[in-house]
Amino acid sequence: MTSRTVTLLDVARTAGVSKSTASDALQGSGRVAEATRDRVRAVAEELGYRPNSAARRLRRASTGAIGLHLPQTATRLDYYMNLAFGAVARAQEDAFDVVLLAPASTMGSAGGATGPGGAGGPVASRVDGLLVIDPEVGDSAVPGLLDAGVPVVTGERYLGPTAAPTGAVICDNAASLTALLDHVTERGARSPAVLAPAGTSAWATALRATAASWGQEHGVDVALRTVPFAATPGEAEEATLALLRADPAVDAVICAPDGAAPGVLRAAATLGRPVGPGAPPAATTHSRKAPTPLLVASCVDGTATRSAEPPVTAVDLRPAAYGRACAELLCDILAGRTPPDTVRRHAWALETRASTTAGPA
């Protein structure tokens, strides 16, 4: 059936079911036996059936759009912009537009989350589903979004007491920081420090908890300093200067916030601390020890870490792929391809560079 568009009736006839049963099977609605649903979907895929998106939206009063809610700090972080582009690209594959919900979205007078800018009707009347990324317990918009009456997929778990999302895509953030701490100690660090993010997101909470638990497990006193969730390089520099002046024995700094690692490098330069691994320096002819080398790493990879001098070892969270994964789960739930309460995991990768390695990584 390649000479014309394959219709729902074609699928129904080939699968040996009624048109209404074929429709219910493909949309995940109605009382259709699992075996029948699988057969209809297999036939549809084999025939190359593509539903008429306009007609489908009319039948189910669909808006043809999904909403995307990002943290308030997202506008100046490369990570969230790349994530958003990935989500948009995947949503378009299922014929959905993506509506970016303004950070100012608040609770409406009727208790429902309102749309961009807080104006107009509830979000549920404007979108078919919602993506809520790195939800903070302190974000007043999140409870309303989770209770908006449409499927909601969160990027990372929500730690607040309100309704659970329909689905979630999560990273093992404890494992990624553990990998960084293991890496710098393997490279010779004996007194590592972590500039951990403030806030109540699952990511920030996991990093702070992991820094403490890793130190206890390894018998190492990990110096933990809290910085803003979206700390600027200047804020990271200030925090690192204070840290290294208070405790010169610190020989590795792991910086959590996206784009802030260059501030750690500037602080090291100010204090005359060479960045990168090396043997313990010998005493000078004036009986003064040369500055101890400092290893530097980041919990988030990006342009700032790759282009720094030296390039900074970092965890690649693959934000564009993460955005795709979140949008894909929401599209799958909306289409009935995946049941509610599905949790999927997203893989990260450790990118080692000159700030912690000698020679090629």
Side-chain angles (χ1 to χ4, degrees):
M1 296 184 181
T2 58
S3 60
R4 63 178 178 84
T5 301
V6 177
T7 67
L8 180 61
L9 184 58
D10 294 326
V11 174
R13 286 173 175 169
T14 304
V17 299
S18 68
K19 185 176 178 180
S20 62
T21 297
S23 177
D24 286 343
L26 293 174
Q27 295 184 45
S29 59
R31 297 182 178 180
V32 181
E34 192 63 30
T36 301
R37 194 185 306 278
D38 291 343
R39 184 171 76 255
V40 170
R41 289 176 176 173
V43 167
E45 183 175 354
E46 181 181 350
L47 297 179
Y49 172 68
R50 294 293 180 268
N52 183 304
S53 59
R56 181 181 60 189
R57 290 167 189 163
L58 287 174
R59 286 196 301 272
R60 65 175 184 174
S62 169
T63 66
I66 59 178
L68 174 61
H69 178 78
L70 299 172
Q72 294 185 7
T73 55
T75 54
R76 60 186 177 86
L77 298 181
D78 286 346
Y79 173 83
Y80 289 112
M81 294 303 98
N82 286 317
L83 185 151
F85 291 142
V88 168
R90 179 58 186 86
Q92 288 178 339
E93 293 175 12
D94 271 42
F96 283 108
D97 293 325
V98 175
V99 178
L100 182 62
L101 305 183
S105 293
T106 57
M107 300 300 293
S109 58
T114 59
V123 161
S125 68
R126 302 182 178 191
V127 298
D128 294 332
L130 290 164
L131 298 174
V132 180
I133 307 301
D134 278 332
E136 290 260 8
V137 175
D139 186 339
S140 61
V142 171
L145 293 171
L146 291 175
D147 198 30
V150 295
V152 179
V153 166
T154 58
E156 296 298 350
R157 298 186 187 277
Y158 178 59
L159 303 181
T162 190
T166 316
V169 180
I170 63 175
C171 288
D172 193 341
N173 299 305
S176 66
L177 180 55
T178 295
L180 284 174
L181 286 164
D182 288 345
H183 172 71
V184 296
T185 54
E186 289 167 1
R187 295 293 178 169
R190 295 295 175 263
S191 184
V194 175
L195 301 184
T200 52
S201 69
W203 177 68
T205 302
L207 294 186
R208 295 195 301 268
T210 301
S213 62
W214 186 94
Q216 292 175 354
E217 180 180 346
H218 291 78
V220 175
D221 184 15
V222 178
L224 180 64
R225 297 292 186 275
T226 301
V227 295
F229 182 89
T232 64
E235 289 169 328
E237 180 180 9
E238 182 179 347
T240 304
L241 285 171
L243 168 70
L244 296 179
R245 283 168 175 160
D247 188 358
V250 168
D251 53 9
V253 175
I254 297 174
C255 181
D258 179 20
V264 179
L265 299 179
R266 290 204 299 262
T270 297
L271 297 177
R273 298 284 296 270
V275 173
T284 68
T285 56
H286 300 287
S287 299
R288 293 190 309 172
K289 287 186 177 181
T292 304
L294 184 71
L295 304 185
V296 177
S298 173
C299 293
V300 183
D301 199 11
T303 302
T305 49
R306 291 190 294 266
S307 62
E309 185 54 47
V312 175
T313 290
V315 173
D316 183 2
L317 295 173
R318 303 167 52 242
Y322 192 35
R324 283 189 63 88
C326 292
E328 182 168 282
L329 177 55
L330 181 56
C331 288
D332 285 349
I333 290 173
L334 290 171
R337 297 187 293 261
T338 298
D341 301 322
T342 296
V343 176
R344 293 176 179 170
R345 294 188 177 274
H346 178 68
W348 50 268
L350 178 60
E351 300 292 340
T352 57
R353 301 190 178 104
S355 67
T356 62
T357 61

